Amino acid sequence: MKPPNENLAPCLIVIFGASGDLTARKLIPSLYDLFVGGFMPAQTSVLGVARTAMSDDDFRTRMKDAVAKHSPGFDAKTWDSFAASLHYLAADPTAEAEYPRLKERMARIAKAHGTGENVLFYLSLAPQFYEPVIVNIGSHQMITEGKAWCSINRQERSWQRIIVEKPFGHDVESAAYLNRALGRVFEDESVFRIDHYLGKETVQNLLVFRFANAIFEPIWSRQYIDHVQVTAAETVGVESRGSYYASDSGGAMRDMIQSHLLQVMALVAMEPPVTMRAEDIRAETTKVLNAARILSEDEISACAVRGQYVAGSIAGQPVSGFKDEKGVPADSRAESYAALQVMIDTWRWNGVPFYLRSGKRMAKKTTEIVVEFKPTPHGLFGKGRGGPMANNQIVINVQPNEGIRLRFEGKVPGIGMKIRSVVMDFDYCRQFQAQPMEAYATLLLDAMRGDQTLFKQRQEIEQSWRIVQPVLAYWAEHTQEPLPVYPAGTWGPPAADILLAREGRQWRNPPPEVPESPVTLP
Ligand code: BG6
């Protein structure tokens, strides 16, 4: 264990919804990793709040099992010192009457651990409970310094911040409503709208790749780029979330495209920011989202594809279909797969399609960004697309095998001019001899530091909803159309291939469930 970070003020982290899956799988393992790595002050404490009856010790035991499972650096001895900072309160956070008890418990922990008045609230609840909790925090005056202008002595300013999990609303109106509810209690600089994709190392590396190198930016435009693909494919099904996923607020378009993929697209397409300050970066990503063309009703069937998996097999194992998942009604029309073509109406991107796709139960777990370049203007060695030569590609692997791969054409050694695609490969782990940090660890630490760079602005969220809303409305209305399906373990419904094939393009589908090696890149 390293010595703790001296420059970071300790705080009390209050997790609402602490008996849930996210706390066990991501939040506590990430906090444990931060503790072991010495990234946060040792006084930092956690109070889990949920309705489930549990003592502090029950909570610690449950979290120990979770951390042993999810944190590769688990060590029983270190766990004991970390566990002392974990506390639990069985209470319904939506019930106003519970707050005096909550406040009293928070004060006791703060005193015992020396966290002062710094509090990081974490909303890890079902979204319908967000508003009552925010209102309760406000009405019980738990925000002593949330409003910047309240500070008398800015040097001694304590803080109270809130991290809000997705789903952030289920359409434009509900997202705007939630933003207003937050704004009534918290200053915007204290609101951290989390998107764990932004905490992924390779997504952050996009900024470095684009703006710390002179060679990519000049070709990063419609002049040289043919199209961009952003894929987030999963082999898992809906797991325990069948009923949420199949509900009117679920489906892949809301769950993945509206949130994570549009955000990744914005980082690929943004203009260079004036500085690396959060407000400058977020100003540029917001501009991209504002420039994304909103589809008219006539364009939707050509530019958006949905699908639902039926029984199939993944890595040789049979898996059942979406409708057989627990909690999914037999007549569900929720999409477990969605693809969307987005056009960004700016000087830089005019005419360059961004294809976004995400699905459950696909052939391989992979998240990647593919930037495909135009063919050479004059085909000295044969035709470009469709001919013997492939277009140049930059593939940014977000996960797994984090790295960046440049595909270009090379001469096969020997007599005659035979050309083949070859790959220059930057492998993140091999190069830096380090595993990327868990996204939640990065983001929790940033919130403790008050750095909003990797969190979303309210306008970005509302605009992302505006982009997908016409598609969602169209799908909700067109219930008579047959719903496209795809067998589990494939790359989605045929309509998704047609989306690209119409323009003579194709998805980059890495080979299913085998480690990628540079020479096998198609
Ligand atoms: C979440 C979605 O935001 O991201 C899940 O709600 C999805 O449905 C998950 O499984 C994927 O995250 P990752 O980090 O595994 O790509």
Side-chain angles (χ1 to χ4, degrees), residues 22 25-26 165-167 195-197 200 232-234 236-239 241 244-245 251-252 254-256 259-260 358-360 365-367 398-399 438-440:
L22 185 74
R25 260 188 330 118
K26 298 289 183 188
E165 254 304 328
K166 69 180 268 284
D195 176 340
H196 78 279
Y197 264 57
K200 291 185 190 283
E234 299 182 271
V236 291
V238 287
E239 299 179 294
R241 300 191 308 152
Y244 156 71
Y245 216 83
R254 284 188 168 91
D255 187 42
M256 296 295 289
S259 50
H260 308 313
S358 180
K360 304 266 183 207
K365 164 92 179 156
T366 183
T367 302
V398 176
Q399 63 186 17
E438 162 61 47
Y440 275 94

Side-chain angles (χ1 to χ4, degrees), residues 490-502:
T490 63
W491 285 102
D497 293 329
I498 296 169
L499 178 71
L500 271 72
R502 255 197 334 252

Side-chain angles (χ1 to χ4, degrees), residues 79-234:
W79 170 261
D80 290 339
S81 22
F82 173 72
S85 64
L86 297 185
H87 308 269
Y88 183 81
L89 177 72
D92 176 358
T94 63
E96 224 246 301
E98 301 279 27
Y99 278 68
R101 212 157 63 87
L102 171 60
K103 277 178 77 172
E104 187 265 326
R105 189 73 197 279
M106 284 170 61
R108 264 198 289 140
I109 298 170
K111 194 159 171 228
H113 291 270
T115 55
E117 288 189 47
N118 294 340
V119 182
L120 181 59
F121 296 105
Y122 200 116
L123 291 188
S124 173
L125 298 157
Q128 66 271 28
F129 302 134
Y130 288 178
E131 201 207 343
V133 174
I134 295 163
V135 169
N136 287 336
I137 292 174
S139 62
H140 285 270
Q141 279 107 41
M142 296 167 87
I143 310 301
T144 56
E145 294 285 4
K147 305 275 175 192
W149 56 80
C150 288
S151 302
I152 297 165
N153 181 350
R154 291 186 77 85
Q155 301 311 315
E156 285 175 9
R157 203 175 134 201
S158 62
W159 50 259
Q160 291 86 40
R161 301 181 184 134
I162 187 161
I163 301 184
V164 187
E165 254 304 328
K166 69 180 268 284
F168 200 97
H170 53 89
D171 56 14
V172 185
E173 288 73 34
S174 53
Y177 184 82
L178 179 54
N179 274 324
R180 282 198 298 275
L182 284 161
R184 280 193 284 271
V185 177
F186 290 90
E187 190 66 10
D188 205 48
E189 66 180 25
S190 305
V191 179
F192 291 74
R193 301 169 188 87
I194 199 164
D195 176 340
H196 78 279
Y197 264 57
L198 296 184
K200 291 185 190 283
E201 202 69 59
T202 333
V203 172
Q204 294 172 61
N205 195 32
L206 250 176
L207 293 174
V208 179
F209 177 74
R210 287 193 56 200
F211 304 130
N213 296 298
I215 57 173
F216 301 116
E217 215 37 36
I219 54 169
W220 212 253
S221 73
R222 59 187 292 273
Q223 255 182 303
Y224 296 99
I225 293 179
D226 179 76
H227 73 277
V228 176
Q229 302 175 15
V230 182
T231 294
E234 299 182 271

Side-chain angles (χ1 to χ4, degrees), residues 147 295 319 506:
K147 305 275 175 192
L295 294 174
V319 287
Q506 64 182 52

